[in-house]
Short mmCIF file of all heavy atoms in Angstrom, two decimals:
data_model
loop_
_atom_site.label_atom_id
_atom_site.label_comp_id
_atom_site.label_asym_id
_atom_site.label_seq_id
_atom_site.Cartn_x
_atom_site.Cartn_y
_atom_site.Cartn_z
N SER F 2 -16.18 -27.76 -8.27
CA SER F 2 -16.78 -29.01 -8.10
C SER F 2 -17.18 -29.24 -6.70
O SER F 2 -16.71 -28.65 -5.73
CB SER F 2 -15.90 -30.17 -8.52
OG SER F 2 -14.77 -30.21 -7.77
N ALA F 43 4.14 -5.29 0.82
CA ALA F 43 2.86 -4.97 0.18
C ALA F 43 3.04 -3.86 -0.86
O ALA F 43 2.31 -3.82 -1.80
CB ALA F 43 1.88 -4.54 1.22
N ALA F 58 34.51 10.44 -1.47
CA ALA F 58 35.71 9.63 -1.53
C ALA F 58 35.36 8.22 -1.20
O ALA F 58 34.60 7.92 -0.22
CB ALA F 58 36.78 10.09 -0.56
N GLY F 81 43.38 21.52 3.14
CA GLY F 81 42.34 21.19 4.18
C GLY F 81 42.11 19.74 4.32
O GLY F 81 42.83 18.91 3.68
N GLY F 88 29.89 19.27 5.65
CA GLY F 88 29.19 19.96 4.60
C GLY F 88 30.03 20.08 3.30
O GLY F 88 30.87 19.19 3.02
N GLY F 91 34.49 22.68 -0.33
CA GLY F 91 35.29 23.73 -1.07
C GLY F 91 35.86 23.23 -2.40
O GLY F 91 35.19 22.28 -3.04
N ASP F 124 56.89 18.55 5.00
CA ASP F 124 56.87 20.04 5.15
C ASP F 124 56.66 20.75 3.82
O ASP F 124 56.12 21.81 3.77
CB ASP F 124 58.17 20.52 5.82
CG ASP F 124 58.33 20.03 7.20
OD1 ASP F 124 57.29 19.64 7.83
OD2 ASP F 124 59.46 19.95 7.70
N PRO F 161 17.58 -9.65 5.54
CA PRO F 161 18.48 -8.62 5.97
C PRO F 161 19.01 -7.71 4.80
O PRO F 161 19.17 -6.54 5.05
CB PRO F 161 19.73 -9.50 6.60
CG PRO F 161 19.04 -10.70 7.11
CD PRO F 161 17.90 -10.99 6.10
N ALA F 170 17.78 3.66 1.71
CA ALA F 170 16.86 4.47 0.92
C ALA F 170 16.00 5.41 1.77
O ALA F 170 15.15 6.01 1.29
CB ALA F 170 16.02 3.52 0.04
N LEU F 186 -3.20 -30.37 10.12
CA LEU F 186 -3.97 -31.56 10.64
C LEU F 186 -3.35 -32.80 10.00
O LEU F 186 -3.47 -33.01 8.82
CB LEU F 186 -5.43 -31.42 10.15
CG LEU F 186 -6.25 -30.21 10.68
CD1 LEU F 186 -7.58 -30.22 10.16
CD2 LEU F 186 -6.25 -30.19 12.16
N ALA F 187 -2.71 -33.62 10.82
CA ALA F 187 -2.15 -34.85 10.43
C ALA F 187 -3.16 -35.99 10.74
O ALA F 187 -3.51 -36.14 11.94
CB ALA F 187 -0.86 -35.14 11.12
N GLU F 214 5.77 -28.07 9.22
CA GLU F 214 5.84 -26.85 10.02
C GLU F 214 7.15 -26.06 9.68
O GLU F 214 7.12 -24.82 9.54
CB GLU F 214 5.96 -27.18 11.51
CG GLU F 214 5.99 -26.04 12.45
CD GLU F 214 5.98 -26.39 13.86
OE1 GLU F 214 6.03 -27.68 14.22
OE2 GLU F 214 5.92 -25.56 14.80
N LEU F 216 8.65 -26.04 6.72
CA LEU F 216 8.47 -25.49 5.42
C LEU F 216 7.63 -24.17 5.57
O LEU F 216 7.98 -23.17 4.94
CB LEU F 216 7.74 -26.48 4.52
CG LEU F 216 8.49 -27.52 3.84
CD1 LEU F 216 7.56 -28.37 2.90
CD2 LEU F 216 9.58 -26.85 2.91
N THR F 228 -2.34 -30.60 14.88
CA THR F 228 -3.07 -31.62 15.55
C THR F 228 -3.00 -32.97 14.82
O THR F 228 -2.98 -32.98 13.59
CB THR F 228 -4.61 -31.23 15.62
OG1 THR F 228 -4.65 -29.94 16.23
CG2 THR F 228 -5.37 -32.20 16.54
N ALA F 255 -6.03 -38.18 1.56
CA ALA F 255 -6.23 -37.48 0.26
C ALA F 255 -6.55 -38.47 -0.90
O ALA F 255 -6.94 -37.97 -1.93
CB ALA F 255 -4.98 -36.72 -0.11
N LEU F 267 -15.04 -32.17 5.28
CA LEU F 267 -15.13 -30.79 5.17
C LEU F 267 -16.18 -30.28 4.21
O LEU F 267 -16.54 -29.13 4.22
CB LEU F 267 -13.80 -30.12 4.71
CG LEU F 267 -12.60 -30.45 5.62
CD1 LEU F 267 -11.43 -29.71 5.08
CD2 LEU F 267 -12.87 -30.11 7.03
N ALA F 268 -16.83 -31.16 3.43
CA ALA F 268 -17.86 -30.86 2.52
C ALA F 268 -19.04 -30.22 3.23
O ALA F 268 -19.59 -29.16 2.69
CB ALA F 268 -18.36 -32.14 1.79
N GLY F 299 -4.75 -30.35 0.63
CA GLY F 299 -4.74 -31.81 1.03
C GLY F 299 -3.55 -32.50 0.48
O GLY F 299 -3.33 -32.54 -0.72
N VAL F 310 4.92 -32.51 -2.75
CA VAL F 310 3.83 -31.66 -3.19
C VAL F 310 3.79 -30.51 -2.19
O VAL F 310 3.31 -29.42 -2.61
CB VAL F 310 2.45 -32.37 -3.23
CG1 VAL F 310 2.53 -33.42 -4.45
CG2 VAL F 310 2.07 -33.02 -1.97
N GLY F 329 -14.85 -18.31 -3.05
CA GLY F 329 -15.20 -19.33 -4.07
C GLY F 329 -14.27 -19.23 -5.28
O GLY F 329 -13.24 -18.52 -5.32
N ASN F 331 -13.95 -19.01 -9.72
CA ASN F 331 -14.64 -18.63 -10.90
C ASN F 331 -14.42 -19.71 -12.01
O ASN F 331 -13.42 -20.30 -12.07
CB ASN F 331 -14.11 -17.26 -11.45
CG ASN F 331 -14.38 -16.14 -10.46
OD1 ASN F 331 -15.42 -16.19 -9.80
ND2 ASN F 331 -13.46 -15.27 -10.31
#
Side-chain angles (χ1 to χ4, degrees):
S2 64
D124 294 338
L186 299 178
E214 182 177 6
L216 276 181
T228 310
L267 303 183
V310 296
N331 297 321

